[in-house]
Structure formats: structure tokens, C-alpha cells
Amino acid sequence: MSALYEHEAKDWIGGFGVAVPRGATAAGPAGVEAAAGGLTPPLVVKAFGPGLVHKSDAGAVRLGLGSAAEAAEAAAAMEADLAAHGVEAAGFLVEEQAEPGVEVIVGAVRDPAFGPVILAGLGGVWTEALHDTALRLSPITEADAHAMLDELRGRALLDGFRGQPAIDKGALVKVLLAVDQAVASLGGAFGEFELNPVVCGPSGAVAVDARRLDA
Ligand code: ADP
Ligand code: MG
């Protein structure tokens, strides 16, 4: 299995109509300030590299950076931190921070007999603790995508819970359909794909993390 880096996976899924944060990459901390030039703070900096899978666990995600200069400083500190743990970054992604919202996982796994299976779930970082996911064999229809969201135990979170606005379900359904189409386009090369999280607000849904493994 070979993996794309996050920004490559985002560029790819962006081509299927999924909204991703505006961002740019730099080979090292020194290039981060220039890379962040056209972006609107707050900014996020993430390191990428062959040994970096769960980035937050490794200290490779910094949120809430107020300027391009702050982003560069964060990248330098991150590089030193990672090096102290024996991890070398291949580069840094600096991107705009999405407005807070409900974090949803959208993904696809490969069933050896039936091919791609599309997954939707609640939780973002809490996915593994919540075990609240819906699955459908690909290809899925728009009605399937809506049904998947409706069968989540935590679906009330999508409909506006405790005074929170309801999320833009139409936008999230479009993400599910785009992921379905995208993984189908890979044919036999498809291994695994995950957007975790897709941050869902009252208008729009933004995939702030993407991971693609090819078979
Ligand atoms: P990983 O899953 O590898 O630890 P993520 O890229 O998912 O790393 O980042 C960790 C968390 O940081 C996300 O679950 C999300 O809450 C937040 N985050 C990451 N990128 C952004 C962004 N561009 N805008 C808003 N929040 C973000
Ligand atoms: Mg993630």
C-alpha cells in the first residue's frame, strides 16, 4: 500500500467537488511564512512525512495561528519537537482554519469480495470511541447518503443540538457522493480513503484532513 500526503489527497478529492481549506506547502519551516502569504488567518500548520500518520498524536498539528510569521514559528518548533522524537518531516502544510462545526468522518474501505464500502460517522477525533458509523456498498445514491446520516445514533447532533444550528446536510451528502465517485475512479488501485474530519456548519462542509492509501 502506498499513501498520498494529506495535501495531495486533498487536491485529489477537491477535484471531485469537496471543499478543502485553502493552503500551501513548504519543504521546511523557513518556507512557511512565504507559503502562508496569500492565506487568511487563523492558520493551521501540519507536518507531513512518511512516518506521520496520526499527526495530532505526534504533535504535528498546530491550530489557531494568528499570522504567517506565527505559522513559521510554529513549524520551526514542530520540526525541533519531531526531531527530538526521531521523526523527520518531509514538509509542512499551512492552511486556513475552518470555522468550528460538527466533525464527521467520511471514508471508504475495500471489501475483498464486494469492493469499496462507503462509511459515514460522527466524531472526528472521537470516532474510535463512539463506534457510530453507517456503511453502504458503493455505488451509493443520494437517497442512500441521506439514509446513512439518518441511521447514525448521534444524528441529533446534525439536526442542531442544544441551540447549535443544524448542519448543511445537503453539503455533507454531496461529500459522500463525491467520495463514492472518487474511489470508484481508482478502480483496482483503491485501497482506503478517509476524510476525518469533515467539519460541518450551517452552510457548507469542509474536509480538513484527507488520507488516501492505494492498493
Ligand atoms: P490527524 O487526524 O492526523 O491527527 P488532522 O489533520 O485531522 O490530524 O488534525 C487534527 C484535528 O485538528 C482535526 O480533527 C480538526 O479538529 C483540527 N483541524 C485540522 N485542520 C484543521 C483546519 N484546517 N481547520 C479547522 N480545524 C482543523
Ligand atoms: Mg484527522
Side-chain angles (χ1 to χ4, degrees):
M1 294 257 239
S2 63
L4 294 191
Y5 287 135
E6 175 179 345
H7 61 95
E8 298 168 330
K10 279 175 165 163
D11 284 350
W12 175 71
I13 199 65
F16 289 86
V18 173
V20 297
R22 294 205 316 134
T25 59
V32 167
E33 186 163 356
L39 306 176
T40 306
L43 301 173
V44 177
V45 166
K46 306 183 198 183
F48 59 86
L52 281 165
V53 181
H54 296 293
K55 298 176 297 284
S56 357
D57 293 349
V61 179
R62 279 283 306 275
L63 304 168
L65 303 163
S67 67
E70 243 182 74
E73 273 168 42
M78 192 180 281
E79 185 178 57
D81 239 38
L82 290 169
H85 291 89
V87 180
E88 201 186 326
F92 294 85
L93 168 64
V94 55
E95 63 181 15
E96 294 181 350
Q97 184 166 314
E99 297 276 340
V102 180
E103 298 203 350
V104 173
I105 177 175
V106 175
V109 290
R110 187 192 186 94
D111 180 274
F114 298 107
V117 177
I118 308 299
L119 171 153
L122 277 169
V125 282
W126 311 118
T127 311
E128 276 146 50
L130 292 174
H131 299 293
D132 190 9
T133 52
L135 300 166
R136 287 290 184 291
L137 278 181
S138 175
I140 58 167
T141 65
E142 191 172 339
D144 291 329
H146 278 285
M148 288 171 78
L149 302 181
D150 287 343
E151 77 189 39
L152 296 174
R153 273 183 283 118
R155 64 188 167 273
L157 290 173
L158 306 178
D159 293 324
F161 194 64
R162 297 260 163 102
Q164 293 296 114
I167 70 146
D168 182 349
K169 265 196 201 163
L172 181 55
V173 161
K174 280 197 181 127
V175 173
L176 275 157
L177 293 171
V179 167
D180 183 45
Q181 233 196 356
V183 302
S185 78
L186 294 174
F190 167 64
E192 209 177 295
F193 183 68
E194 190 179 278
L195 299 173
N196 190 20
V198 176
V199 180
C200 302
S203 84
V206 185
V208 304
D209 190 16
R211 184 172 147 73
R212 182 180 121 187
L213 282 176
D214 292 344

